[in-house]
Amino acid sequence: MTVTKTETLPVRSGDDVVRVRQRVRALAIEIGLGLVDQTKIVTAASELARNTLDYGGGGDVRIEIVQAGMRKGLRLTFEDHGPGIADIEQAMTDRFTTGRGMGLGLGGAKRLSNEFHIESTPGSGTRVTIARWK
Amino acid sequence: MDRIPILKLGGVLIVTIQVDMHDRLALALEEDLTAMIARTGARGVLLEISALEIVDSFIGRMLVSIAAVSRVLDAETVVAGMRPAVAITLVELGLELTGIRTALNVERGMALIQARISEEDDGHGSDRDRHED
Ligand SMILES: Nc1ncnc2c1ncn2[C@@H]1O[C@H](COP(=O)(O)OP(=O)(O)OP(=O)(O)O)[C@@H](O)[C@H]1O
Ligand SMILES: [Mg+2]
């Protein structure tokens, strides 16, 4: 798999979350994702960006266009250096929240993506990677 | 601070959500709507969201919360104009819009609310129809 384009955006404010959504939409269109797939990856990005902001204390997202053979995809890596997640399985469970949320962000982002990977170390931060392929 | 305009048509408050919502705007809208239902005695709230390119859990929570508050104040919430791609995505996200009715467009949304208002007014107004069941 090769990376054909990379950009990094900050996720430090509500306005940044909006910008991330817009940029993910633009790149999803660029690689030719259909409207429903665009909507899925933008929605997943919105969930993860909001988590980075609300729980991770801010961070950034790396947005990559990736290619495997003839297939193109969009890969997003959200990273923060916040408190981390002690129990990932619990965090992934629908309805589980430590905030005022609905507890759907992580599980939802996984369902809306073709690939999902989460790593977190309590005390040092969280990294969530998703990909959606054309 | 920016605010989203609320229109009153008959007993219905109509809001067109066009911008990419952020926290403050969402909270302000909820407050404004609550105050206006209380002040005007509106019986319905119509949220027109055809401009929204996504509904994530944050916006979903706002919609559900507006509906819950409205219900307490005896007003029904209808969400109109959700894009099909958004509706499909919501299901996969796992979001249920509890307590919210949806309509294809504003016209149908208005019809839903009007039907509910006249149904209830009949029910309260007389026992004319009671013998039918
Ligand atoms: N980047 C992060 N850093 C630390 N904790 C996190 C992070 N992302 C998620 N979490 C934890 O995982 C929980 C579940 O996250 P999830 O996104 O599924 O739900 P939520 O954000 O609480 O609610 P919703 O996304 O529905 O608004 C959060 O409540 C939080 O405790
Ligand atoms: Mg979340």
Side-chain angles (χ1 to χ4, degrees), chain A residues 81-98:
Chain A
H81 297 97
I85 302 172
D87 186 340
I88 289 180
E89 203 181 320
Q90 184 184 47
M92 290 295 305
T93 309
D94 280 352
R95 308 289 159 198
F96 175 84
T97 180
T98 57

PDB file of all heavy atoms in Angstrom, chain A residues 81-98:
ATOM      1  N   HIS A  81      -2.555  13.796  22.973  1.00  0.00           N
ATOM      2  CA  HIS A  81      -1.706  13.432  24.106  1.00  0.00           C
ATOM      3  C   HIS A  81      -2.443  13.697  25.411  1.00  0.00           C
ATOM      4  O   HIS A  81      -1.877  14.204  26.369  1.00  0.00           O
ATOM      5  CB  HIS A  81      -0.362  14.161  24.030  1.00  0.00           C
ATOM      6  CG  HIS A  81       0.411  13.761  22.798  1.00  0.00           C
ATOM      7  ND1 HIS A  81       0.394  14.504  21.636  1.00  0.00           N
ATOM      8  CD2 HIS A  81       1.131  12.648  22.530  1.00  0.00           C
ATOM      9  CE1 HIS A  81       1.117  13.869  20.709  1.00  0.00           C
ATOM     10  NE2 HIS A  81       1.570  12.736  21.229  1.00  0.00           N
ATOM     11  N   GLY A  82      -3.701  13.337  25.388  1.00  0.00           N
ATOM     12  CA  GLY A  82      -4.549  13.519  26.568  1.00  0.00           C
ATOM     13  C   GLY A  82      -4.417  12.371  27.552  1.00  0.00           C
ATOM     14  O   GLY A  82      -3.413  11.652  27.558  1.00  0.00           O
ATOM     15  N   PRO A  83      -5.463  12.166  28.354  1.00  0.00           N
ATOM     16  CA  PRO A  83      -5.402  11.190  29.453  1.00  0.00           C
ATOM     17  C   PRO A  83      -5.420   9.725  29.004  1.00  0.00           C
ATOM     18  O   PRO A  83      -5.127   8.845  29.815  1.00  0.00           O
ATOM     19  CB  PRO A  83      -6.665  11.500  30.268  1.00  0.00           C
ATOM     20  CG  PRO A  83      -7.601  12.141  29.287  1.00  0.00           C
ATOM     21  CD  PRO A  83      -6.736  12.905  28.342  1.00  0.00           C
ATOM     22  N   GLY A  84      -5.771   9.482  27.733  1.00  0.00           N
ATOM     23  CA  GLY A  84      -5.845   8.101  27.269  1.00  0.00           C
ATOM     24  C   GLY A  84      -7.098   7.398  27.773  1.00  0.00           C
ATOM     25  O   GLY A  84      -7.910   7.983  28.492  1.00  0.00           O
ATOM     26  N   ILE A  85      -7.235   6.141  27.349  1.00  0.00           N
ATOM     27  CA  ILE A  85      -8.426   5.362  27.712  1.00  0.00           C
ATOM     28  C   ILE A  85      -7.952   4.106  28.436  1.00  0.00           C
ATOM     29  O   ILE A  85      -7.179   3.319  27.890  1.00  0.00           O
ATOM     30  CB  ILE A  85      -9.222   4.956  26.452  1.00  0.00           C
ATOM     31  CG1 ILE A  85      -9.629   6.213  25.653  1.00  0.00           C
ATOM     32  CG2 ILE A  85     -10.454   4.127  26.817  1.00  0.00           C
ATOM     33  CD1 ILE A  85     -10.259   5.919  24.303  1.00  0.00           C
ATOM     34  N   ALA A  86      -8.431   3.918  29.662  1.00  0.00           N
ATOM     35  CA  ALA A  86      -7.966   2.782  30.459  1.00  0.00           C
ATOM     36  C   ALA A  86      -8.562   1.477  29.930  1.00  0.00           C
ATOM     37  O   ALA A  86      -7.860   0.483  29.768  1.00  0.00           O
ATOM     38  CB  ALA A  86      -8.329   2.989  31.927  1.00  0.00           C
ATOM     39  N   ASP A  87      -9.845   1.491  29.657  1.00  0.00           N
ATOM     40  CA  ASP A  87     -10.521   0.275  29.211  1.00  0.00           C
ATOM     41  C   ASP A  87     -11.128   0.506  27.832  1.00  0.00           C
ATOM     42  O   ASP A  87     -12.228   1.049  27.695  1.00  0.00           O
ATOM     43  CB  ASP A  87     -11.610  -0.090  30.233  1.00  0.00           C
ATOM     44  CG  ASP A  87     -12.271  -1.429  29.922  1.00  0.00           C
ATOM     45  OD1 ASP A  87     -12.187  -1.892  28.758  1.00  0.00           O
ATOM     46  OD2 ASP A  87     -12.877  -2.009  30.841  1.00  0.00           O
ATOM     47  N   ILE A  88     -10.387   0.096  26.806  1.00  0.00           N
ATOM     48  CA  ILE A  88     -10.814   0.383  25.432  1.00  0.00           C
ATOM     49  C   ILE A  88     -12.101  -0.359  25.071  1.00  0.00           C
ATOM     50  O   ILE A  88     -12.989   0.191  24.425  1.00  0.00           O
ATOM     51  CB  ILE A  88      -9.680   0.039  24.436  1.00  0.00           C
ATOM     52  CG1 ILE A  88      -8.552   1.075  24.592  1.00  0.00           C
ATOM     53  CG2 ILE A  88     -10.191   0.045  22.992  1.00  0.00           C
ATOM     54  CD1 ILE A  88      -7.370   0.874  23.686  1.00  0.00           C
ATOM     55  N   GLU A  89     -12.195  -1.591  25.544  1.00  0.00           N
ATOM     56  CA  GLU A  89     -13.390  -2.382  25.229  1.00  0.00           C
ATOM     57  C   GLU A  89     -14.658  -1.691  25.745  1.00  0.00           C
ATOM     58  O   GLU A  89     -15.665  -1.595  25.055  1.00  0.00           O
ATOM     59  CB  GLU A  89     -13.265  -3.770  25.849  1.00  0.00           C
ATOM     60  CG  GLU A  89     -14.136  -4.809  25.161  1.00  0.00           C
ATOM     61  CD  GLU A  89     -13.986  -6.160  25.837  1.00  0.00           C
ATOM     62  OE1 GLU A  89     -12.853  -6.508  26.217  1.00  0.00           O
ATOM     63  OE2 GLU A  89     -15.012  -6.835  25.997  1.00  0.00           O
ATOM     64  N   GLN A  90     -14.547  -1.192  26.952  1.00  0.00           N
ATOM     65  CA  GLN A  90     -15.676  -0.478  27.547  1.00  0.00           C
ATOM     66  C   GLN A  90     -15.984   0.809  26.767  1.00  0.00           C
ATOM     67  O   GLN A  90     -17.139   1.102  26.468  1.00  0.00           O
ATOM     68  CB  GLN A  90     -15.303  -0.126  28.997  1.00  0.00           C
ATOM     69  CG  GLN A  90     -16.400   0.543  29.785  1.00  0.00           C
ATOM     70  CD  GLN A  90     -15.911   0.930  31.177  1.00  0.00           C
ATOM     71  OE1 GLN A  90     -14.834   1.499  31.330  1.00  0.00           O
ATOM     72  NE2 GLN A  90     -16.689   0.609  32.190  1.00  0.00           N
ATOM     73  N   ALA A  91     -14.936   1.530  26.384  1.00  0.00           N
ATOM     74  CA  ALA A  91     -15.120   2.782  25.636  1.00  0.00           C
ATOM     75  C   ALA A  91     -15.786   2.525  24.284  1.00  0.00           C
ATOM     76  O   ALA A  91     -16.552   3.352  23.784  1.00  0.00           O
ATOM     77  CB  ALA A  91     -13.784   3.487  25.448  1.00  0.00           C
ATOM     78  N   MET A  92     -15.477   1.370  23.705  1.00  0.00           N
ATOM     79  CA  MET A  92     -16.030   1.025  22.384  1.00  0.00           C
ATOM     80  C   MET A  92     -17.502   0.608  22.466  1.00  0.00           C
ATOM     81  O   MET A  92     -18.195   0.569  21.467  1.00  0.00           O
ATOM     82  CB  MET A  92     -15.256  -0.149  21.769  1.00  0.00           C
ATOM     83  CG  MET A  92     -13.843   0.153  21.327  1.00  0.00           C
ATOM     84  SD  MET A  92     -13.778   1.324  19.967  1.00  0.00           S
ATOM     85  CE  MET A  92     -14.838   0.523  18.752  1.00  0.00           C
ATOM     86  N   THR A  93     -17.963   0.261  23.650  1.00  0.00           N
ATOM     87  CA  THR A  93     -19.335  -0.209  23.804  1.00  0.00           C
ATOM     88  C   THR A  93     -20.327   0.914  23.552  1.00  0.00           C
ATOM     89  O   THR A  93     -20.178   2.008  24.089  1.00  0.00           O
ATOM     90  CB  THR A  93     -19.550  -0.736  25.246  1.00  0.00           C
ATOM     91  OG1 THR A  93     -18.505  -1.653  25.537  1.00  0.00           O
ATOM     92  CG2 THR A  93     -20.890  -1.429  25.391  1.00  0.00           C
ATOM     93  N   ASP A  94     -21.334   0.643  22.722  1.00  0.00           N
ATOM     94  CA  ASP A  94     -22.363   1.651  22.474  1.00  0.00           C
ATOM     95  C   ASP A  94     -23.021   2.034  23.781  1.00  0.00           C
ATOM     96  O   ASP A  94     -23.264   1.174  24.633  1.00  0.00           O
ATOM     97  CB  ASP A  94     -23.420   1.107  21.497  1.00  0.00           C
ATOM     98  CG  ASP A  94     -22.937   1.194  20.057  1.00  0.00           C
ATOM     99  OD1 ASP A  94     -21.875   1.806  19.810  1.00  0.00           O
ATOM    100  OD2 ASP A  94     -23.631   0.655  19.168  1.00  0.00           O
ATOM    101  N   ARG A  95     -23.305   3.317  23.906  1.00  0.00           N
ATOM    102  CA  ARG A  95     -23.972   3.907  25.081  1.00  0.00           C
ATOM    103  C   ARG A  95     -23.026   4.205  26.230  1.00  0.00           C
ATOM    104  O   ARG A  95     -23.430   4.839  27.190  1.00  0.00           O
ATOM    105  CB  ARG A  95     -25.141   3.049  25.620  1.00  0.00           C
ATOM    106  CG  ARG A  95     -26.172   2.639  24.598  1.00  0.00           C
ATOM    107  CD  ARG A  95     -27.008   3.801  24.163  1.00  0.00           C
ATOM    108  NE  ARG A  95     -27.631   3.522  22.859  1.00  0.00           N
ATOM    109  CZ  ARG A  95     -28.126   4.447  22.061  1.00  0.00           C
ATOM    110  NH1 ARG A  95     -28.066   5.703  22.409  1.00  0.00           N
ATOM    111  NH2 ARG A  95     -28.660   4.130  20.915  1.00  0.00           N
ATOM    112  N   PHE A  96     -21.783   3.680  26.160  1.00  0.00           N
ATOM    113  CA  PHE A  96     -20.868   4.018  27.251  1.00  0.00           C
ATOM    114  C   PHE A  96     -20.281   5.410  27.028  1.00  0.00           C
ATOM    115  O   PHE A  96     -19.724   5.693  25.982  1.00  0.00           O
ATOM    116  CB  PHE A  96     -19.725   3.004  27.388  1.00  0.00           C
ATOM    117  CG  PHE A  96     -18.723   3.429  28.445  1.00  0.00           C
ATOM    118  CD1 PHE A  96     -18.958   3.143  29.780  1.00  0.00           C
ATOM    119  CD2 PHE A  96     -17.590   4.159  28.091  1.00  0.00           C
ATOM    120  CE1 PHE A  96     -18.054   3.579  30.755  1.00  0.00           C
ATOM    121  CE2 PHE A  96     -16.687   4.591  29.068  1.00  0.00           C
ATOM    122  CZ  PHE A  96     -16.926   4.289  30.398  1.00  0.00           C
ATOM    123  N   THR A  97     -20.428   6.261  28.018  1.00  0.00           N
ATOM    124  CA  THR A  97     -19.836   7.594  27.946  1.00  0.00           C
ATOM    125  C   THR A  97     -19.360   8.028  29.326  1.00  0.00           C
ATOM    126  O   THR A  97     -19.959   7.660  30.332  1.00  0.00           O
ATOM    127  CB  THR A  97     -20.849   8.628  27.397  1.00  0.00           C
ATOM    128  OG1 THR A  97     -20.217   9.919  27.353  1.00  0.00           O
ATOM    129  CG2 THR A  97     -22.111   8.727  28.252  1.00  0.00           C
ATOM    130  N   THR A  98     -18.267   8.788  29.338  1.00  0.00           N
ATOM    131  CA  THR A  98     -17.853   9.388  30.609  1.00  0.00           C
ATOM    132  C   THR A  98     -18.216  10.865  30.593  1.00  0.00           C
ATOM    133  O   THR A  98     -17.970  11.580  31.553  1.00  0.00           O
ATOM    134  CB  THR A  98     -16.336   9.246  30.844  1.00  0.00           C
ATOM    135  OG1 THR A  98     -15.661   9.850  29.739  1.00  0.00           O
ATOM    136  CG2 THR A  98     -15.930   7.796  30.972  1.00  0.00           C
TER     137      THR A  98
END
